[in-house]
């Protein structure tokens, strides 16, 4: 399974190298572009899960490139820039950026922001319902209802369930689920996901013993199966 791709658009190789290393150690694939032209080419070849975008590029202003990207993609964009004035932050966010990090920064801080943005994106993509009256997810209240009965879930159980329900039938690897549900996925292990899935299944069976909507795909991961 391909690693999530992060596109780094940065004209300072030393900064790009440090980000590349930090992201790769967190399970991402990073691709570096030195300017806007190469970034446009990279985006056409393969859409990343997130773009780290420097404002001061040699051939185009990062704000302008962000506006171009927003015309055809909703990919999360994080500005990386030495321009830390409030007006620049406001402009960056108003034209469609998801976050704004001022230089100098720690590569670990950037990777933490990346994980948080991707986690929020997956949670927010979860529909309110999956199937007919099978499952309901209330993001704001962090509540889930299965077959009309509210589930008593821990924080991580809720996050795992919301990710699975967001796209019924999609197989998520353990790494995918850790990245989406855990604040520090690097500190968790595969058996942590397995243990939480086991607890989730038990709570679902208490409501409907005949249903097992969380399917195991041996060697791949887990998926949610909606009731037809």
């Amino acid at each position: 399974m391909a690693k999530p791709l992060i596109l780094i658009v940065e004209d300072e190789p030393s900064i790009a190298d440090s980000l590349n290393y930090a992201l790769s150690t967190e399970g991402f694939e990073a691709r570096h572009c030195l300017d806007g032209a190469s970034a446009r080419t990279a985006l056409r070849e393969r859409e990343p899960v997130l773009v780290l975008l420097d404002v001061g590029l040699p051939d185009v202003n990062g704000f302008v490139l962000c506006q171009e990207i927003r015309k055809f993609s909703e990919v999360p964009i994080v500005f990386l820039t030495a321009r830390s004035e409030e007006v620049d932050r406001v402009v960056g966010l108003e034209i469609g950026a998801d976050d704004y990090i001022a230089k100098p920064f720690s590569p670990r801080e950037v990777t933490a922001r990346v994980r948080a943005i991707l986690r929020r994106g997956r949670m927010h993509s979860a529909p309110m319902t999956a199937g007919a009256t099978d499952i309901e997810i209330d993001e704001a209240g962090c509540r889930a209802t299965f077959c009309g009965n509210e589930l008593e879930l821990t924080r991580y159980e809720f996050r795992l369930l919301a990710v699975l329900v967001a796209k019924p039938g999609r197989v998520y690897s353990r790494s995918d689920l850790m990245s989406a549900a855990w604040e520090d996925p690097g500190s968790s292990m595969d058996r942590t996901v397995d243990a939480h899935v086991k607890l989730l299944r038990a709570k679902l069976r208490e409501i409907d013993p005949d249903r097992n909507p969380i399917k195991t795909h041996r060697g791949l991961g887990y998926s949610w199966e909606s009731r037809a």
Side-chain angles (χ1 to χ4, degrees), residues 3 5 21 35 54 60 67 100 110 116-117 123 126 134 172 174 183 205 207-208 213:
K3 294 180 180 179
L5 175 65
Y21 177 78
D35 52 32
D54 184 24
V60 65
Q67 291 175 306
Y100 194 108
V110 175
I117 290 170
M123 293 291 287
D134 207 7
Y172 289 91
R174 291 171 176 83
E183 273 119 348
R205 280 198 302 271
I207 295 173
D208 187 348

PDB file of all heavy atoms in Angstrom, residues 3 5 21 35 54 60 67 100 110 116-117 123 126 134 172 174 183 205 207-208 213:
ATOM      1  N   LYS A   3       2.464   4.857   0.575  1.00  0.00           N
ATOM      2  CA  LYS A   3       2.476   5.768   1.716  1.00  0.00           C
ATOM      3  C   LYS A   3       1.786   7.074   1.327  1.00  0.00           C
ATOM      4  O   LYS A   3       1.822   7.485   0.164  1.00  0.00           O
ATOM      5  CB  LYS A   3       3.913   6.047   2.144  1.00  0.00           C
ATOM      6  CG  LYS A   3       4.652   4.838   2.692  1.00  0.00           C
ATOM      7  CD  LYS A   3       6.065   5.225   3.095  1.00  0.00           C
ATOM      8  CE  LYS A   3       6.823   4.037   3.657  1.00  0.00           C
ATOM      9  NZ  LYS A   3       8.222   4.411   4.033  1.00  0.00           N
ATOM     10  N   LEU A   5       1.323  10.730   0.412  1.00  0.00           N
ATOM     11  CA  LEU A   5       2.293  11.629  -0.207  1.00  0.00           C
ATOM     12  C   LEU A   5       2.118  13.054   0.300  1.00  0.00           C
ATOM     13  O   LEU A   5       1.022  13.608   0.273  1.00  0.00           O
ATOM     14  CB  LEU A   5       2.122  11.611  -1.727  1.00  0.00           C
ATOM     15  CG  LEU A   5       3.000  12.592  -2.522  1.00  0.00           C
ATOM     16  CD1 LEU A   5       4.477  12.236  -2.379  1.00  0.00           C
ATOM     17  CD2 LEU A   5       2.589  12.616  -3.983  1.00  0.00           C
ATOM     18  N   TYR A  21      13.093  14.259   5.842  1.00  0.00           N
ATOM     19  CA  TYR A  21      13.525  13.241   6.816  1.00  0.00           C
ATOM     20  C   TYR A  21      12.477  13.056   7.911  1.00  0.00           C
ATOM     21  O   TYR A  21      12.111  11.924   8.248  1.00  0.00           O
ATOM     22  CB  TYR A  21      14.857  13.647   7.435  1.00  0.00           C
ATOM     23  CG  TYR A  21      15.327  12.689   8.508  1.00  0.00           C
ATOM     24  CD1 TYR A  21      15.911  11.467   8.173  1.00  0.00           C
ATOM     25  CD2 TYR A  21      15.158  13.006   9.852  1.00  0.00           C
ATOM     26  CE1 TYR A  21      16.318  10.576   9.159  1.00  0.00           C
ATOM     27  CE2 TYR A  21      15.565  12.126  10.841  1.00  0.00           C
ATOM     28  CZ  TYR A  21      16.144  10.915  10.487  1.00  0.00           C
ATOM     29  OH  TYR A  21      16.540  10.030  11.469  1.00  0.00           O
ATOM     30  N   ASP A  35      10.136  25.023  -7.039  1.00  0.00           N
ATOM     31  CA  ASP A  35       9.412  26.203  -7.511  1.00  0.00           C
ATOM     32  C   ASP A  35       7.975  25.843  -7.868  1.00  0.00           C
ATOM     33  O   ASP A  35       7.563  24.680  -7.804  1.00  0.00           O
ATOM     34  CB  ASP A  35      10.115  26.817  -8.719  1.00  0.00           C
ATOM     35  CG  ASP A  35      10.391  25.816  -9.830  1.00  0.00           C
ATOM     36  OD1 ASP A  35       9.580  24.876  -9.998  1.00  0.00           O
ATOM     37  OD2 ASP A  35      11.403  25.961 -10.527  1.00  0.00           O
ATOM     38  N   ASP A  54       5.812  27.042   0.567  1.00  0.00           N
ATOM     39  CA  ASP A  54       6.537  28.257   0.926  1.00  0.00           C
ATOM     40  C   ASP A  54       5.928  29.442   0.184  1.00  0.00           C
ATOM     41  O   ASP A  54       5.532  29.323  -0.978  1.00  0.00           O
ATOM     42  CB  ASP A  54       8.012  28.091   0.561  1.00  0.00           C
ATOM     43  CG  ASP A  54       8.857  29.277   1.000  1.00  0.00           C
ATOM     44  OD1 ASP A  54       8.433  29.980   1.938  1.00  0.00           O
ATOM     45  OD2 ASP A  54       9.927  29.485   0.422  1.00  0.00           O
ATOM     46  N   VAL A  60       6.899  32.267  -8.422  1.00  0.00           N
ATOM     47  CA  VAL A  60       5.511  32.628  -8.166  1.00  0.00           C
ATOM     48  C   VAL A  60       5.327  32.837  -6.667  1.00  0.00           C
ATOM     49  O   VAL A  60       5.979  32.190  -5.848  1.00  0.00           O
ATOM     50  CB  VAL A  60       4.544  31.536  -8.680  1.00  0.00           C
ATOM     51  CG1 VAL A  60       4.730  30.246  -7.896  1.00  0.00           C
ATOM     52  CG2 VAL A  60       3.087  31.995  -8.602  1.00  0.00           C
ATOM     53  N   GLN A  67      -4.068  29.860  -4.590  1.00  0.00           N
ATOM     54  CA  GLN A  67      -5.325  30.171  -5.271  1.00  0.00           C
ATOM     55  C   GLN A  67      -5.508  29.332  -6.532  1.00  0.00           C
ATOM     56  O   GLN A  67      -6.623  28.894  -6.842  1.00  0.00           O
ATOM     57  CB  GLN A  67      -5.379  31.659  -5.615  1.00  0.00           C
ATOM     58  CG  GLN A  67      -5.521  32.560  -4.399  1.00  0.00           C
ATOM     59  CD  GLN A  67      -5.461  34.030  -4.754  1.00  0.00           C
ATOM     60  OE1 GLN A  67      -4.523  34.490  -5.399  1.00  0.00           O
ATOM     61  NE2 GLN A  67      -6.466  34.783  -4.353  1.00  0.00           N
ATOM     62  N   TYR A 100      -0.684  27.777   8.946  1.00  0.00           N
ATOM     63  CA  TYR A 100       0.351  28.743   8.608  1.00  0.00           C
ATOM     64  C   TYR A 100       1.448  28.615   9.649  1.00  0.00           C
ATOM     65  O   TYR A 100       1.205  28.863  10.831  1.00  0.00           O
ATOM     66  CB  TYR A 100      -0.262  30.153   8.629  1.00  0.00           C
ATOM     67  CG  TYR A 100       0.551  31.243   7.995  1.00  0.00           C
ATOM     68  CD1 TYR A 100       0.166  31.804   6.786  1.00  0.00           C
ATOM     69  CD2 TYR A 100       1.694  31.747   8.615  1.00  0.00           C
ATOM     70  CE1 TYR A 100       0.880  32.841   6.202  1.00  0.00           C
ATOM     71  CE2 TYR A 100       2.433  32.768   8.043  1.00  0.00           C
ATOM     72  CZ  TYR A 100       2.019  33.313   6.839  1.00  0.00           C
ATOM     73  OH  TYR A 100       2.735  34.325   6.275  1.00  0.00           O
ATOM     74  N   VAL A 110       6.103  20.564  12.517  1.00  0.00           N
ATOM     75  CA  VAL A 110       5.416  20.502  11.225  1.00  0.00           C
ATOM     76  C   VAL A 110       4.731  19.149  11.049  1.00  0.00           C
ATOM     77  O   VAL A 110       3.568  19.084  10.632  1.00  0.00           O
ATOM     78  CB  VAL A 110       6.391  20.765  10.068  1.00  0.00           C
ATOM     79  CG1 VAL A 110       5.687  20.588   8.725  1.00  0.00           C
ATOM     80  CG2 VAL A 110       6.980  22.169  10.167  1.00  0.00           C
ATOM     81  N   ALA A 116      -2.306  16.296  12.579  1.00  0.00           N
ATOM     82  CA  ALA A 116      -3.546  16.855  13.114  1.00  0.00           C
ATOM     83  C   ALA A 116      -4.502  17.260  11.994  1.00  0.00           C
ATOM     84  O   ALA A 116      -5.708  17.012  12.068  1.00  0.00           O
ATOM     85  CB  ALA A 116      -3.229  18.057  14.001  1.00  0.00           C
ATOM     86  N   ILE A 117      -3.973  17.887  10.949  1.00  0.00           N
ATOM     87  CA  ILE A 117      -4.823  18.325   9.831  1.00  0.00           C
ATOM     88  C   ILE A 117      -5.422  17.130   9.104  1.00  0.00           C
ATOM     89  O   ILE A 117      -6.615  17.112   8.779  1.00  0.00           O
ATOM     90  CB  ILE A 117      -4.012  19.199   8.858  1.00  0.00           C
ATOM     91  CG1 ILE A 117      -3.684  20.548   9.508  1.00  0.00           C
ATOM     92  CG2 ILE A 117      -4.776  19.421   7.550  1.00  0.00           C
ATOM     93  CD1 ILE A 117      -2.701  21.365   8.731  1.00  0.00           C
ATOM     94  N   MET A 123     -11.927  12.860   9.961  1.00  0.00           N
ATOM     95  CA  MET A 123     -13.082  12.889  10.851  1.00  0.00           C
ATOM     96  C   MET A 123     -14.207  13.707  10.235  1.00  0.00           C
ATOM     97  O   MET A 123     -15.365  13.321  10.279  1.00  0.00           O
ATOM     98  CB  MET A 123     -12.670  13.509  12.193  1.00  0.00           C
ATOM     99  CG  MET A 123     -11.677  12.652  12.972  1.00  0.00           C
ATOM    100  SD  MET A 123     -12.407  11.131  13.593  1.00  0.00           S
ATOM    101  CE  MET A 123     -13.411  11.779  14.907  1.00  0.00           C
ATOM    102  N   ALA A 126     -16.519  12.153   7.593  1.00  0.00           N
ATOM    103  CA  ALA A 126     -17.448  11.097   7.994  1.00  0.00           C
ATOM    104  C   ALA A 126     -18.878  11.569   7.804  1.00  0.00           C
ATOM    105  O   ALA A 126     -19.259  12.629   8.297  1.00  0.00           O
ATOM    106  CB  ALA A 126     -17.232  10.712   9.453  1.00  0.00           C
ATOM    107  N   ASP A 134     -28.333   2.157  10.377  1.00  0.00           N
ATOM    108  CA  ASP A 134     -27.264   1.330  10.912  1.00  0.00           C
ATOM    109  C   ASP A 134     -26.401   2.071  11.937  1.00  0.00           C
ATOM    110  O   ASP A 134     -26.275   1.660  13.076  1.00  0.00           O
ATOM    111  CB  ASP A 134     -26.394   0.838   9.750  1.00  0.00           C
ATOM    112  CG  ASP A 134     -25.715  -0.473  10.066  1.00  0.00           C
ATOM    113  OD1 ASP A 134     -26.019  -1.065  11.109  1.00  0.00           O
ATOM    114  OD2 ASP A 134     -24.875  -0.888   9.278  1.00  0.00           O
ATOM    115  N   TYR A 172      -8.728   0.026   5.607  1.00  0.00           N
ATOM    116  CA  TYR A 172      -7.719   0.855   6.253  1.00  0.00           C
ATOM    117  C   TYR A 172      -6.673  -0.039   6.905  1.00  0.00           C
ATOM    118  O   TYR A 172      -7.012  -0.952   7.664  1.00  0.00           O
ATOM    119  CB  TYR A 172      -8.348   1.732   7.337  1.00  0.00           C
ATOM    120  CG  TYR A 172      -9.219   2.852   6.814  1.00  0.00           C
ATOM    121  CD1 TYR A 172     -10.582   2.660   6.615  1.00  0.00           C
ATOM    122  CD2 TYR A 172      -8.678   4.103   6.542  1.00  0.00           C
ATOM    123  CE1 TYR A 172     -11.389   3.693   6.145  1.00  0.00           C
ATOM    124  CE2 TYR A 172      -9.480   5.138   6.070  1.00  0.00           C
ATOM    125  CZ  TYR A 172     -10.829   4.923   5.880  1.00  0.00           C
ATOM    126  OH  TYR A 172     -11.618   5.937   5.408  1.00  0.00           O
ATOM    127  N   ARG A 174      -3.589  -0.830   9.555  1.00  0.00           N
ATOM    128  CA  ARG A 174      -3.404  -0.436  10.953  1.00  0.00           C
ATOM    129  C   ARG A 174      -2.669   0.897  11.033  1.00  0.00           C
ATOM    130  O   ARG A 174      -2.954   1.732  11.884  1.00  0.00           O
ATOM    131  CB  ARG A 174      -2.652  -1.534  11.707  1.00  0.00           C
ATOM    132  CG  ARG A 174      -3.479  -2.809  11.897  1.00  0.00           C
ATOM    133  CD  ARG A 174      -2.635  -3.938  12.459  1.00  0.00           C
ATOM    134  NE  ARG A 174      -3.437  -5.117  12.719  1.00  0.00           N
ATOM    135  CZ  ARG A 174      -3.751  -6.019  11.783  1.00  0.00           C
ATOM    136  NH1 ARG A 174      -3.330  -5.836  10.526  1.00  0.00           N
ATOM    137  NH2 ARG A 174      -4.464  -7.078  12.094  1.00  0.00           N
ATOM    138  N   GLU A 183      -2.951  10.672  18.683  1.00  0.00           N
ATOM    139  CA  GLU A 183      -2.208  11.924  18.619  1.00  0.00           C
ATOM    140  C   GLU A 183      -0.743  11.692  18.304  1.00  0.00           C
ATOM    141  O   GLU A 183      -0.104  12.480  17.631  1.00  0.00           O
ATOM    142  CB  GLU A 183      -2.328  12.685  19.948  1.00  0.00           C
ATOM    143  CG  GLU A 183      -3.539  13.558  20.012  1.00  0.00           C
ATOM    144  CD  GLU A 183      -4.493  13.182  21.132  1.00  0.00           C
ATOM    145  OE1 GLU A 183      -4.364  12.125  21.736  1.00  0.00           O
ATOM    146  OE2 GLU A 183      -5.382  13.938  21.383  1.00  0.00           O
ATOM    147  N   ARG A 205     -21.749  -5.843  19.275  1.00  0.00           N
ATOM    148  CA  ARG A 205     -22.478  -7.119  19.446  1.00  0.00           C
ATOM    149  C   ARG A 205     -23.466  -7.051  20.596  1.00  0.00           C
ATOM    150  O   ARG A 205     -24.488  -7.749  20.567  1.00  0.00           O
ATOM    151  CB  ARG A 205     -21.486  -8.263  19.672  1.00  0.00           C
ATOM    152  CG  ARG A 205     -20.837  -8.789  18.394  1.00  0.00           C
ATOM    153  CD  ARG A 205     -20.233 -10.173  18.623  1.00  0.00           C
ATOM    154  NE  ARG A 205     -19.243 -10.147  19.697  1.00  0.00           N
ATOM    155  CZ  ARG A 205     -17.938  -9.891  19.499  1.00  0.00           C
ATOM    156  NH1 ARG A 205     -17.492  -9.663  18.274  1.00  0.00           N
ATOM    157  NH2 ARG A 205     -17.106  -9.884  20.509  1.00  0.00           N
ATOM    158  N   ILE A 207     -25.386  -4.709  21.192  1.00  0.00           N
ATOM    159  CA  ILE A 207     -26.597  -4.114  20.637  1.00  0.00           C
ATOM    160  C   ILE A 207     -27.248  -5.035  19.612  1.00  0.00           C
ATOM    161  O   ILE A 207     -28.460  -5.223  19.611  1.00  0.00           O
ATOM    162  CB  ILE A 207     -26.266  -2.750  19.997  1.00  0.00           C
ATOM    163  CG1 ILE A 207     -25.799  -1.764  21.086  1.00  0.00           C
ATOM    164  CG2 ILE A 207     -27.471  -2.188  19.240  1.00  0.00           C
ATOM    165  CD1 ILE A 207     -25.294  -0.442  20.555  1.00  0.00           C
ATOM    166  N   ASP A 208     -26.441  -5.611  18.725  1.00  0.00           N
ATOM    167  CA  ASP A 208     -26.967  -6.527  17.694  1.00  0.00           C
ATOM    168  C   ASP A 208     -26.020  -7.709  17.556  1.00  0.00           C
ATOM    169  O   ASP A 208     -25.022  -7.644  16.830  1.00  0.00           O
ATOM    170  CB  ASP A 208     -27.115  -5.791  16.362  1.00  0.00           C
ATOM    171  CG  ASP A 208     -27.824  -6.643  15.311  1.00  0.00           C
ATOM    172  OD1 ASP A 208     -27.995  -7.859  15.540  1.00  0.00           O
ATOM    173  OD2 ASP A 208     -28.192  -6.086  14.251  1.00  0.00           O
ATOM    174  N   PRO A 213     -20.131  -5.591  11.666  1.00  0.00           N
ATOM    175  CA  PRO A 213     -19.848  -4.676  10.560  1.00  0.00           C
ATOM    176  C   PRO A 213     -18.374  -4.354  10.362  1.00  0.00           C
ATOM    177  O   PRO A 213     -17.994  -3.863   9.294  1.00  0.00           O
ATOM    178  CB  PRO A 213     -20.630  -3.419  10.949  1.00  0.00           C
ATOM    179  CG  PRO A 213     -20.715  -3.483  12.438  1.00  0.00           C
ATOM    180  CD  PRO A 213     -20.822  -4.924  12.780  1.00  0.00           C
TER     181      PRO A 213
END
